[in-house]
Amino acid sequence: MNSELPDGYELSTDPARLDAELVHRWLSGDAYWALGRSREKHDRAVAGSMNFGVYDTASGAQVGYARVVTDRATFAWLCDVYIDRAARGKGLGTSLVAAIRDHLAPYGLRRVMLATADAHAVYAKVGYEPLADREKWMLFGEQ
């Protein structure tokens, strides 16, 4: 599964490899969409999701994370995409999203959604586009 990532990095969907404390620290302390998220809420989100970790192959250290909430049949929501600040600028974010896109392809999902305030260019590189007919979509909860 690591063919999409730059040399020296690998992708894993093995939940046993996730550094849950590190991922919680990244998201709750540095990601605008998850600031202050409790560890208990984080753990429930991870448990109910398909998880992707990016790892430095030399050290084994986790340097990135993303999760997908999906029924594995028609719909998925890509969220909590995060690359450690020290590993940014190497194309890992775009590569991670492309690898997730490819991982989900066999499911034949009709739609994979995401929301971003500042990374539109990252997602556009792998085929994401703004909603064409926003009037159809509704939201319950925070905006």
Side-chain angles (χ1 to χ4, degrees), residues 5 11 18-19 21-35 37 42 52-55 62-68 78-89 91-97 100 115-116 118-119 122-123:
L5 296 177
L11 180 72
L18 291 175
D19 184 337
E21 177 59 37
L22 175 64
V23 173
H24 175 255
R25 191 173 45 231
W26 283 339
L27 297 177
S28 68
D30 192 40
Y32 69 85
W33 65 89
L35 292 175
R37 181 184 292 170
H42 169 75
F52 299 82
V54 178
Y55 303 89
Q62 186 169 353
V63 298
Y65 175 77
R67 68 186 180 94
V68 174
L78 173 60
C79 53
D80 287 347
V81 178
Y82 189 91
I83 300 297
D84 186 286
R85 287 188 175 272
R88 292 182 187 171
L92 289 171
T94 300
S95 296
L96 171 58
V97 174
I100 292 169
T116 185
D118 59 359
V122 170
Y123 299 105

Side-chain angles (χ1 to χ4, degrees), residues 107-142:
Y107 295 107
L109 303 171
R110 181 172 182 211
R111 192 169 280 122
V112 179
M113 304 272 310
L114 65 86
T116 185
D118 59 359
H120 296 81
V122 170
Y123 299 105
K125 288 178 188 174
V126 297
Y128 284 85
E129 300 175 354
L131 289 173
D133 192 358
R134 296 175 59 176
E135 291 76 28
K136 286 183 180 180
W137 293 90
M138 297 181 72
L139 174 69
F140 179 84
E142 295 181 27

Side-chain angles (χ1 to χ4, degrees), residues 33-82:
W33 65 89
L35 292 175
R37 181 184 292 170
S38 73
R39 177 63 191 266
E40 185 272 334
K41 186 171 279 197
H42 169 75
D43 289 347
R44 280 191 291 136
V46 168
S49 301
M50 185 182 292
N51 298 278
F52 299 82
V54 178
Y55 303 89
D56 180 297
T57 53
S59 69
Q62 186 169 353
V63 298
Y65 175 77
R67 68 186 180 94
V68 174
V69 181
T70 183
D71 60 11
R72 291 176 169 86
T74 63
F75 180 80
W77 174 44
L78 173 60
C79 53
D80 287 347
V81 178
Y82 189 91

